[in-house]
Amino acid sequence: MSKKNKDKISTNHADGRVEVIATSQGEAYFYIPEDSKHIRTRVTTVPIILVFGHEKYNEESAKQTAVESGLAEIADREGSIVAFINPEGESWRPSDVNSYNEVLSKFTENERIATITGDGPYPGWFERIYVYAEGSGADFVAENLAKEVLYEQQPPWGTRDATPAFITLFNNTVLPASPDPAFGQDIPIIAVNPVEGTEERLKALNEKNNLYAVKTSEVTKGFVKDIVLSTYEELSGTTRRLESVIIRVPNYEAEGIKETIEVRELSTGPIRYREYIPNDLDLDKESTIPLVITFHGGGNTAEHQAWVSEWPLVGKKHGFMVVSVDRHVERTASDMIELLEILFKEYPAIDKTRVYATGFSMGGVKTWNLGAKFPQYFAAIAPWGAGFIPEDAKEFIPAKSNPELIEQLEMLPYTLPLFYIAGGTSPLPELPSQPEKNIMDDALAFFLKMNKVVERYEYDESEDKTWGIAPTKTYSLHNEVLDFNTVVSLYPSEDNQIYTALAVDVEKSHVVHGMNSWITWDFIRRFSRDSDGRIIITKSDDGSE
């Protein structure tokens, strides 16, 4: 279970303050749990909690409502902000959806720039927008937010789904909006003392996952604290919306996974990371447990990487431990090897022949660097969503290839199995020579030579439009949840073995999907590295490699 769900909501909330936030539609009020132990550390996984009331809020009533409703306790436990939104006029109108979007613009998922003062941006994850509403505010939400809502991001990212991941209504007198076949995704809702017909409408809005509930209360005005707290544990705090699709937040305790936050002292200073160890692993048996070490994208966190990649869940199913490293961007590949050596000493059960490195975006850059500098430590690497920029490069320009620097790098005499995944529609240079040579061309130039696939790589569209080099085999995997395909291309080395796989998530942008880890593990798990540095390929149960 994630730390978020492991800690039950306490009966006492930390004291908080209210910031007055100016918007073009009027003032919003942000309740901030200043003493929350997570307010500055989680950022990229915390929900954005938005409140719509029957009457307009002011600074005093916003804080009072946060405390009396139980939302202050949720905010304290999560490290979240509770934003109280008012209508532009005296009553709620459809145009007040603009206030919803403008308040969302005050939040960021980027740990590097999030703050809890002034005009923000405040910590909050768009995939976890949780809306609470009562009275006329509930009617507004039911009619205008219980359906697809789009948010225009800054270039080059385009439009993003900002539909709430969960809505909790108190005393709504109108039905939620009818299901939209064009949207086709669930709208999870809890309705308390709703108008007649609400339950049937909620059922129609949640045909995929049945994430809805109808409850009654003797309290017919405002929020009911007991209901807010109990339903958050059971339902309303358990979802996120990934590219419109509702996905459950991981519950590691229920899955039988122990999650801990660790800090160790390296020669260059302290480093923080999270460990995910399945409860059924025998840590007393030496050299028996594979290790996956994973690295988050720029501005994200170790917790976020674990959640979105699903590596801990893959580890539970296949019997390995996962370490997700925080703030690795400011650390070197050598630092990561120092951390590995610490882990080896602390866990003699780790099988040093089966250590795998993986990461997304800036975590992918870290993974490429580990593979280039320390291939002897890894049975395979799996960078996603980024090409290769050597960490000692004088400038960091992903769209620019630097072949001279790549050619100057020392190439150690090891084969290094790799499984790379690119976003097919990403605005970032995740594919080679699209449109110009970039850091993905550099990655292929170095690692295809290292694995003896080709002596010199040059992108050739006539051979393969995606990778510029003809594969010996391709296969396609379908993501049933998100409804897209991943196409995998395989490349043989001079010994005719397949160590290199290049994959593209067709029609997907710069984003991590849980399926990435499952298909990555399916490829890399066959590889181990013996004490002499050689790669050993283990046959699967059906006899294939």
Side-chain angles (χ1 to χ4, degrees):
M1 186 176 191
S2 71
K3 202 72 175 176
K4 182 195 84 65
N5 284 333
K6 186 175 181 180
D7 298 332
K8 294 295 184 183
I9 296 174
S10 62
T11 55
N12 297 315
H13 67 86
D15 193 21
R17 61 180 170 82
V18 173
E19 284 277 357
V20 181
I21 306 298
T23 74
S24 59
Q25 281 77 39
E27 291 181 335
Y29 300 92
F30 283 22
Y31 174 85
I32 301 163
E34 289 188 290
D35 295 333
S36 169
K37 64 182 180 180
H38 298 307
I39 192 68
R40 293 176 178 84
T41 59
R42 295 186 70 207
V43 180
T44 56
T45 56
V46 302
I48 300 172
I49 301 174
L50 306 179
V51 182
F52 298 79
H54 183 66
E55 299 176 348
K56 280 194 171 185
Y57 291 106
N58 56 36
E59 190 171 350
E60 181 180 353
S61 64
K63 183 170 184 177
Q64 181 179 355
T65 301
V67 173
E68 293 180 353
S69 68
L71 291 174
E73 295 181 22
I74 293 173
D76 177 55
R77 198 276 306 274
E78 291 275 22
S80 294
I81 308 301
V82 183
F84 292 83
I85 302 176
N86 286 327
E88 183 177 10
E90 292 304 312
S91 59
W92 291 105
R93 297 176 297 181
S95 60
D96 288 320
V97 171
N98 295 329
S99 297
Y100 173 83
N101 277 323
E102 187 170 353
V103 167
L104 287 179
S105 73
K106 306 296 183 181
F107 289 88
T108 182
E109 300 161 10
N110 190 328
E111 187 209 26
R112 292 174 296 183
I113 64 173
T115 182
I116 57 170
T117 60
D119 203 36
Y122 289 83
W125 192 16
F126 268 59
E127 292 186 15
R128 297 183 72 199
I129 300 173
Y130 297 157
V131 171
Y132 289 82
E134 55 96 7
S136 61
D139 290 346
F140 166 77
V141 169
E143 292 185 307
N144 298 283
L145 297 181
K147 58 184 178 181
E148 182 181 27
V149 182
L150 298 178
Y151 176 83
E152 192 64 36
Q153 301 179 103
Q154 294 294 320
W157 300 106
T159 301
R160 181 174 188 175
D161 191 313
T163 309
F166 216 102
I167 295 172
T168 303
L169 304 174
F170 283 81
N171 309 309
N172 58 296
T173 64
V174 301
L175 292 176
S178 299
D180 179 4
F183 182 53
Q185 301 298 332
D186 286 358
I187 308 288
I189 298 177
I190 291 172
V192 183
N193 297 336
V195 66
E196 185 177 353
T198 296
E199 186 165 10
E200 291 76 11
R201 179 58 55 83
L202 299 190
K203 182 178 180 180
L205 285 167
N206 290 279
E207 291 184 343
K208 295 180 184 292
N209 298 295
N210 294 318
L211 295 175
Y212 69 92
V214 172
K215 296 184 178 292
T216 58
S217 171
E218 294 180 356
V219 181
T220 58
K221 183 179 180 180
F223 298 104
V224 182
K225 184 175 184 177
D226 289 346
I227 293 177
V228 169
L229 295 180
S230 63
T231 56
Y232 193 85
E233 291 286 346
E234 299 164 1
L235 201 58
S236 60
T238 68
T239 58
R240 64 185 180 98
R241 189 178 293 279
L242 172 60
E243 297 189 333
S244 301
V245 178
I246 289 294
I247 295 175
R248 301 303 289 268
V249 168
N251 185 326
Y252 293 128
E253 185 175 47
E255 294 286 349
I257 301 169
K258 181 182 179 182
E259 177 192 34
T260 59
I261 301 173
E262 305 290 343
V263 178
R264 296 293 182 273
E265 192 70 31
L266 303 184
S267 59
T268 53
I271 189 166
R272 186 176 65 200
Y273 57 94
R274 291 182 182 242
E275 293 180 351
Y276 300 88
I277 303 177
N279 294 339
D280 55 2
L281 292 186
D282 188 348
L283 297 178
D284 292 327
K285 290 186 177 180
E286 291 190 12
S287 304
T288 58
I289 300 174
L291 169 65
V292 168
I293 184 168
T294 185
F295 305 98
H296 60 75
N300 291 143
T301 61
E303 182 184 37
H304 182 271
Q305 176 68 4
W307 279 26
V308 299
S309 70
E310 297 186 9
W311 272 119
L313 302 181
V314 183
K316 170 61 178 177
K317 180 175 177 61
H318 293 285
F320 60 83
M321 67 180 288
V322 176
V323 168
S324 187
V325 183
D326 251 329
R327 297 186 177 182
H328 64 84
V329 176
E330 58 205 45
R331 312 308 287 262
T332 66
S334 296
D335 289 336
M336 299 304 105
I337 297 303
E338 188 176 350
L339 174 60
L340 275 181
E341 293 290 356
I342 290 173
L343 292 169
F344 294 159
K345 290 179 181 179
E346 292 186 359
Y347 293 100
I350 292 175
D351 181 356
K352 296 181 184 179
T353 72
R354 301 191 69 200
V355 177
Y356 308 90
T358 181
F360 171 68
S361 194
M362 287 301 294
V365 174
K366 182 69 69 186
T367 304
W368 288 118
N369 272 279
L370 281 167
K373 287 194 167 187
F374 302 100
Q376 67 273 27
Y377 276 83
F378 302 101
I381 62 171
W384 304 336
F388 177 35
I389 299 180
E391 62 185 14
D392 52 358
K394 293 181 180 179
E395 56 184 3
F396 188 91
I397 306 177
K400 179 182 177 182
S401 173
N402 196 338
E404 295 80 11
L405 180 59
I406 297 299
E407 290 176 1
Q408 292 171 9
L409 294 178
E410 179 185 8
M411 185 172 291
L412 299 176
Y414 296 94
T415 297
L416 183 61
L418 71 91
F419 192 92
Y420 173 72
I421 303 178
T425 63
S426 173
L428 302 183
E430 300 184 31
L431 294 169
S433 293
Q434 298 190 21
E436 305 294 338
K437 283 188 175 183
N438 56 60
I439 61 172
M440 194 59 221
D441 292 81
D442 293 346
L444 295 180
F446 187 88
F447 286 91
L448 292 183
K449 181 178 180 180
M450 184 179 191
N451 282 349
K452 296 181 172 59
V453 175
V454 292
E455 178 62 26
R456 185 175 182 83
Y457 169 80
E458 286 287 343
Y459 178 86
D460 186 344
E461 185 176 2
S462 66
E463 286 199 21
D464 184 82
K465 186 175 181 180
T466 302
W467 303 110
I469 180 173
T472 187
K473 180 183 178 181
T474 63
Y475 60 91
S476 182
L477 300 164
H478 186 66
N479 187 314
E480 298 290 344
V481 175
L482 299 173
D483 192 25
F484 73 92
N485 292 322
T486 298
V487 178
V488 184
S489 299
L490 303 178
Y491 296 88
S493 296
E494 64 178 18
D495 62 0
N496 291 320
Q497 298 293 338
I498 302 293
Y499 305 107
T500 306
L502 306 177
V504 58
D505 286 340
V506 180
E507 298 180 357
K508 291 300 171 183
S509 186
H510 189 66
V511 65
V512 179
H513 305 280
M515 193 177 88
N516 291 157
S517 296
W518 294 92
I519 65 176
T520 294
W521 181 251
D522 189 56
F523 180 80
I524 66 175
R525 65 179 178 177
R526 71 195 70 182
F527 301 109
S528 60
R529 188 180 296 279
D530 68 15
S531 58
D532 294 328
R534 296 174 300 173
I535 290 296
I536 307 299
I537 304 177
T538 303
K539 294 183 181 296
S540 62
D541 294 338
D542 62 7
S544 62
E545 293 184 346

